[in-house]
């Protein structure tokens, strides 16, 4: 197993009836994974391709979980960003990150919709739908999906809290998440 998409696929095959989601929205894992695969295809239709960086801005919800899974199936590098930051700080963080796309979940993008990146409203992702707000007009060359990613490839970015200045991003590989998951599974077993 080399990446998160393979891990999610394996888990859905092994325990398909496991409840997955949030307190407010839950369904069987295999159904949620099916939604995420559909949404990954919809993201690909916007021109986003494996290896592109996308900012995921939104509060935890069923749609947030489907969106994150969809980024992994599409092979996108997902930067998970706190939506509570003011627009000015979010704009500065986006400048630092230089994402190819911005995925909004239940957040009002406000003035940030004037940016040039592909932007997608992911609030309907729980229902296997998205609303494309704008595309950057570029078509990337498809180079596989998230199932093709190597353990050394970037899966996600997290950011610092920003208590000493502007929040900074840290890249995390597929291998990091697989090792972290294995540690918890072994420790809590």
């Amino acid at each position: 197993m080399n990446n998160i998409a393979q891990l999610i696929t394996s888990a859905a095959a092994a325990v398909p009836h496991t409840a997955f989601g949030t307190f407010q929205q839950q369904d069987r894992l295999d159904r949620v994974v099916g939604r995420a695969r559909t949404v990954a295809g919809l993201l690909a239709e916007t021109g986003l391709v494996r290896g592109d960086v996308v900012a995921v801005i939104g509060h935890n919800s069923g749609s947030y979980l489907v969106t994150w899974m969809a980024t992994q199936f599409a092979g996108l590098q997902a930067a998970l960003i706190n939506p509570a930051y003011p627009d000015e700080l979010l704009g500065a963080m986006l400048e630092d990150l230089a994402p190819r796309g911005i995925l909004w979940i239940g957040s009002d993008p406000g003035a940030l919709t004037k940016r040039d990146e592909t932007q997608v409203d992911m609030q309907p992702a729980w229902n296997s739908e998205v609303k494309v707000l704008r595309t950057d007009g570029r078509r990337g060359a498809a180079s596989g999906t998230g199932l093709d990613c190597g353990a050394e490839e970037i899966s996600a970015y997290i950011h610092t809290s920003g208590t000493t200045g502007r929040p900074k991003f840290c890249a995390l590989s597929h291998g990091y998440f697989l090792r972290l998951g294995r540690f918890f599974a072994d420790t809590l077993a």
Side-chain angles (χ1 to χ4, degrees):
M1 190 161 314
N2 293 317
N3 58 59
I4 300 301
Q6 291 172 355
L7 179 64
I8 294 168
T9 300
S10 174
V15 287
H17 298 285
T18 297
F20 187 83
T22 64
F23 183 73
Q24 292 84 13
Q25 286 180 300
Q26 290 186 12
D27 201 350
R28 293 177 10 183
L29 179 59
D30 60 339
R31 291 180 184 155
V32 176
V33 169
R35 291 181 186 120
R37 288 178 182 273
T38 298
V39 170
L42 296 173
L43 291 174
E45 289 176 11
T46 70
L48 295 170
V49 296
R50 177 179 161 199
D52 282 341
V53 175
V54 294
V56 178
I57 304 174
H59 294 285
N60 193 18
S61 65
S63 290
Y64 186 91
L65 295 173
V66 170
T67 297
W68 177 78
M69 277 189 190
T71 65
Q72 298 307 297
F73 281 118
L76 302 173
Q77 299 173 11
L80 309 175
I81 300 179
N82 183 348
Y85 288 134
D87 283 354
E88 183 177 308
L89 181 55
L90 281 174
M93 291 173 69
L94 291 169
E95 288 301 318
D96 291 345
L97 182 65
R100 173 100 191 279
I102 303 173
L103 311 180
W104 301 97
I105 305 146
S107 297
D108 178 4
L112 294 173
T113 57
K114 294 180 173 75
R115 296 180 59 89
D116 293 331
E117 300 91 350
T118 292
Q119 295 195 36
V120 183
D121 177 356
M122 303 300 290
Q123 188 61 37
W126 184 259
N127 298 317
S128 304
E129 301 170 2
V130 301
K131 180 181 176 193
V132 178
L133 303 174
R134 72 173 312 282
T135 65
D136 65 7
R138 297 184 303 171
R139 283 284 191 210
S143 58
T145 69
L147 292 167
D148 303 311
C149 289
E152 73 287 352
E153 291 182 59
I154 296 171
S155 167
Y157 293 86
I158 57 172
H159 61 78
T160 61
S161 65
T163 55
T164 60
R166 188 182 324 187
K168 295 165 190 64
F169 288 96
C170 173
L172 303 171
S173 69
H174 286 274
Y176 165 80
F177 283 115
L178 294 174
R179 288 188 305 277
L180 181 64
R182 177 62 17 214
F183 168 78
F184 281 116
D186 292 347
T187 302
L188 300 174

